[in-house]
């Protein structure tokens, strides 16, 4: 099994997160890999993912507000810009190809599982600091990287989606995010960050966010909210 | 059917919230009324409600930060104080009587539906202003009042719980919260607040929070997370 | 006297802000216009302005978090990107030409008047909503536009600085920011936003921020903190 | 010279804060001690201090939102309650005795130096975590304790003010706040918190807040804003 390397904190967080296998190996993900996922489920997911992207972009904007160094600001600002000015229009385009027009997309009612994850991330960021935000964002940012790396080359009806996250561009971005996180930990806590109580609390953030990501895939399998 | 009067905004929000009947008349609530709710489900709910109270108190503390007037500050501060120094110790006591000791309470893993509602409220408060926070808090604060008023006098094994929310003390508090909300709207938007786009957005906040409250009761019926 | 037009809200806010003339016509500004400002004062200002830009960028990132519409998000995100990836490197370059190397810039101790303005803006944004943030940011964003428009063509030793803010690119940006603000007001408050109590509160935000901008220029004249 | 003991972090922060002596030994403080401070200056300060108390209470409410443990929540909530329901009414009463009626108090225009300190504290709390907030609040909470302890027994026209901060009740509160801070550091960073980069950053917060407190006393000496 491919376990991509996105830095030290991610490796530790993943190992301390009981639901990680249930997230990256969720039946929804398996359905994408084998191609057995019903198109209708995938479109439901795409619509929710569009709403997700809005709040995910806001979370990265909050990271720019909460950054301690210029390097952190630049990384967060570049992420926001890429999300809002590239990934979101791309998403609109993909949805349009699937017959979902922009008005329908805009009218999507945000599912509870979607609300749960994004608001958890944003609240973690508001109530905590840059590290809390990173720990809550990481299951999404890096989990999609791990899923993409695992599914890469599977082909089938969802090959485009797989290529988006399994391709070198996204994999490289994941390594950058991993390095940003490791750097942020060291900047604030010194080289021995892994043994501190704070790091344990961050692992808890990551584990909770992972649980909510499982709920997101699960929501993808249920057409009704 | 008893529909208590907690002010003008609440009445409008309730009518504009499609899931309101599903919330205040949820099978969990019916089980409390008839006494048919399994004790085990009720204890599961009590444990989650303890975790809920922590974040609910934080939300009222955020209301004190976001207040515009001294009257708003005082009301929010009094709510925080009552929650942390009275309601939470009372909750610990009730749980102890039911055989759940404080250590077990502290160790409760926050259910996803619990996370979803409280983080939605806190994020609404952080990202928006005092009104956004009130609109997101109201389904809990005033919905429990409406449920209490409706169930009042039902007796049965959950008579204590019913009395807590149906009794005059909580009902009076609900009228105060309703007046706080109406006053806050008028203070910021003038007397014609009901017709403004802002009020419609607040109705949306209330409706979303109501949906998440339905999820909270639903979680109460499912022992497993 | 040139009074540029950056929309309706700005015109109303400016008129309701007693210190506006003291801000846009401050002796520091006059010194830039006539060229009589001591180089040493200007360099002191440039160093402080570099620190200012960091927090100003954070404020625009917070605007992206607090946006209600995609258009607001896009505008805020574009502002952050331009500030962090273009204006800040440009500032570093300008300072370098003046003999201030990046290490010195980084080591600048943030003056109290600088802290006062930027933290006022950020706190307004955190405690309030998108509109509070815009009202607190506007004296800087649009005031520099008004100053630039007024000084345009003055030439002298500070002609580059004048051209930056008086040139068409910045003037066009100011018109966009003005339109963003007017649009945000109408989106939330309907067409009659100017008569609402909320708008009066926003005028107060703008007036306070203007007072703090006067303090910023004043700080520019005092080499010692 | 009396240097009261309010815990380990405070002692370290005080020593690392170059402006600490200028703050606790400011001419305004000396004027209170000797009784030579003009009444008019003192009344100007009292009016500003009333506005200060509002934002200081909001900062403690934010501490309740940002608390990690129930003990932290309880301490912050008790502080908010004491400030809003006891200290603020007391302040109104003191001002009334001095001939400043509540309407005048409410109408006080917040001085720039006042804005600077409170918004710095609130922004530190919003952008950072509980520790950032404590480090920014400490110069006020504990500095007033140190000043009170030093001036205790001086008598003179300002004996009441001196007794408020020099008396056992406030001194005991300062020891509690100091213990809260030391506990919060250990809870998040383990026993070796003093050597971590994070602690150095917090020392920076404390030092900046101290600088702004010097500005607050200075403002007290200048009747004009």
């Amino acid at each position: 099994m491919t376990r991509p390397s996105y830095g030290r904190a991610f490796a530790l967080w993943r190992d301390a997160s009981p639901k990680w296998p249930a997230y990256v190996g969720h039946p929804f993900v398996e359905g994408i890999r084998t191609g057995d996922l019903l198109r209708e489920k995938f479109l439901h997911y795409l619509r929710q993912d569009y709403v997700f992207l809005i709040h995910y972009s806001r979370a990265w904007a909050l990271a720019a507000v909460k950054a301690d160094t210029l390097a952190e600001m630049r990384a967060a600002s570049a992420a926001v810009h890429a999300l809002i000015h590239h990934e979101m229009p791309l998403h609109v385009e993909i949805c349009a190809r699937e017959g979902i027009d922009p008005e329908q997309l805009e009218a999507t009612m945000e599912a509870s599982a979607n609300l749960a994850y994004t608001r958890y991330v944003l609240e973690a960021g508001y109530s905590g600091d840059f590290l809390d935000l990173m720990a809550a964002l990481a299951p999404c940012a890096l989990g999609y990287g791990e899923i993409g790396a695992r599914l890469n080359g599977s082909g089938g009806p969802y090959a485009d989606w797989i290529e988006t996250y399994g391709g070198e561009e996204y994999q490289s971005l994941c390594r950058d995010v991993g390095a940003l996180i490791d750097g942020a930990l060291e900047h604030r806590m010194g080289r021995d960050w892994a043994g501190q109580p704070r790091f344990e609390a961050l692992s808890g953030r990551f584990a909770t966010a992972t649980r909510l990501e499982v709920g997101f895939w699960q929501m993808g399998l249920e057409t009704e909210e």
Side-chain angles (χ1 to χ4, degrees), chain A residues 13 18 36 68 71 80 101 136 172 195 197 214:
Chain A
W13 282 342
D36 290 339
D68 252 18
V80 177
D101 62 43
S172 161
V214 175

Side-chain angles (χ1 to χ4, degrees), chain A residues 20-103:
Chain A
W20 191 257
Y23 163 45
V24 295
H26 192 275
F28 191 94
V29 176
E30 278 305 288
I32 287 176
R33 188 180 65 79
T34 60
D36 290 339
L37 181 73
L38 291 180
R39 199 78 200 163
E40 163 204 355
K41 305 285 186 197
F42 187 69
L43 298 187
H44 173 53
Y45 158 79
L46 274 190
R47 274 191 298 264
Q48 288 297 326
D49 201 41
Y50 175 76
V51 182
F52 175 85
L53 273 177
I54 295 173
H55 299 287
Y56 186 65
S57 304
R58 295 173 61 223
W60 276 102
L62 187 56
V65 186
K66 298 233 155 185
D68 252 18
T69 65
L70 284 176
E72 289 172 4
M73 277 187 86
R74 272 184 224 116
S77 154
V80 177
H81 199 260
L83 284 162
I84 295 180
H85 299 274
H86 300 288
E87 200 161 334
M88 285 182 62
L90 184 70
H91 211 88
V92 171
E93 203 182 297
I94 291 168
C95 288
R97 273 208 303 270
E98 301 284 348
I100 308 166
D101 62 43
E103 285 69 34

Side-chain angles (χ1 to χ4, degrees), chain A residues 73-215:
Chain A
M73 277 187 86
R74 272 184 224 116
S77 154
V80 177
H81 199 260
L83 284 162
I84 295 180
H85 299 274
H86 300 288
E87 200 161 334
M88 285 182 62
L90 184 70
H91 211 88
V92 171
E93 203 182 297
I94 291 168
C95 288
R97 273 208 303 270
E98 301 284 348
I100 308 166
D101 62 43
E103 285 69 34
Q104 280 177 284
L105 256 191
E106 287 286 328
T108 305
M109 189 170 82
E110 200 174 358
S112 298
N114 199 348
L115 281 157
Y117 180 69
T118 55
R119 297 326 190 271
Y120 179 75
V121 170
L122 283 160
E123 198 272 334
Y126 276 124
S127 291
D129 66 4
F130 187 82
L131 294 176
D132 289 286
L133 189 48
M134 287 300 116
L137 275 174
C140 175
L142 305 182
Y144 268 58
E146 180 166 330
I147 290 167
R150 178 185 289 184
L151 268 52
N152 211 17
S154 306
Y158 303 115
D160 278 1
W161 188 92
I162 293 170
E163 171 58 23
T164 301
Y165 298 106
E168 183 43 31
E169 193 178 330
Y170 194 78
Q171 291 300 315
S172 161
L173 191 147
C174 285
R175 288 189 295 269
D176 290 349
V177 169
L180 173 70
I181 292 171
D182 286 355
L185 284 159
E186 186 169 334
H187 176 69
R188 287 160 183 80
M189 296 156 74
R191 300 192 74 88
D192 297 328
W193 45 262
Q196 294 187 23
R198 182 74 210 283
F199 188 71
E200 208 176 321
L202 294 170
S203 300
R205 288 264 190 217
F206 183 94
T208 299
T210 300
R211 260 205 288 149
L212 297 171
E213 280 282 32
V214 175

